[in-house]
Amino acid sequence: MESRTIEQLQIGETAEFSKTVTETDIAMFAAISGDFNPVHVDAKYAAASPFGARVAHGPLTLALCAGILGMRLPGLGTVAVSNRIDYRLPVYIGDTITARVEVAELDRERNRATMAITWTNQDGALVADGEAIVKPPRSAVV
């Protein structure tokens, strides 16, 4: 666990997190979100969809950067202000997704950092990209 203030951050810094998406992840996300769209939870329905198989919920992909922002870069005490994600490719059960966060812009006066985020699969294909604006902690948490 780390914690960095706006003064300690530098443009270009990066952190990554990888996770293999499982059946359990899909079921839990459906239960938490209430999104039981059959393209996520019904194999027969999803097989006939343009995806050809069940796919992960988009916000599940987005959530894979939460641990980076809240635990590593900037870290403990960080508060999300906004986020944006553009989905490029579907994420399937069994895909290993790597979320990569990069410090793209710093607004020291407003204590805001813009973080560029990419999500790639095990083949290196870009499945999503976007950004988050966060407020780093005012003091480093130990």
Side-chain angles (χ1 to χ4, degrees):
M1 293 186 293
E2 299 178 30
S3 178
R4 309 265 284 294
T5 66
I6 193 88
E7 290 80 19
Q8 295 169 318
L9 292 173
Q10 295 181 7
I11 292 176
E13 286 185 85
T14 64
E16 294 183 352
F17 172 75
S18 296
K19 169 149 185 30
T20 300
V21 177
T22 67
E23 169 77 32
T24 301
D25 296 327
I26 303 297
M28 290 177 65
F29 198 87
I32 290 167
S33 67
D35 180 357
F36 292 92
N37 183 322
V39 76
H40 305 305
V41 299
D42 183 326
K44 185 176 178 181
Y45 178 92
S49 78
F51 301 116
R54 293 171 53 207
V55 295
H57 301 74
L60 185 126
T61 301
L62 172 62
L64 296 178
C65 71
I68 299 170
L69 297 171
M71 302 296 287
R72 295 182 51 208
L73 184 67
L76 300 175
T78 297
V79 175
V81 175
S82 67
N83 56 56
R84 177 193 57 78
I85 184 171
D86 294 317
Y87 302 103
R88 308 292 182 185
L89 294 172
V91 172
Y92 295 96
I93 295 170
D95 281 352
T96 299
I97 303 302
T98 298
R100 181 178 188 273
V101 171
E102 179 176 349
V103 179
E105 186 178 322
L106 297 170
D107 182 345
R108 296 187 197 290
E109 186 176 304
R110 296 179 62 212
N111 190 43
R112 308 231 183 201
T114 300
M115 314 299 272
I117 309 167
T118 57
W119 293 264
T120 54
N121 66 17
Q122 66 279 355
D123 299 322
L126 182 71
V127 299
D129 59 354
E131 70 176 21
I133 297 174
V134 299
K135 292 172 63 173
R138 292 280 186 188
S139 60
V141 178
V142 181

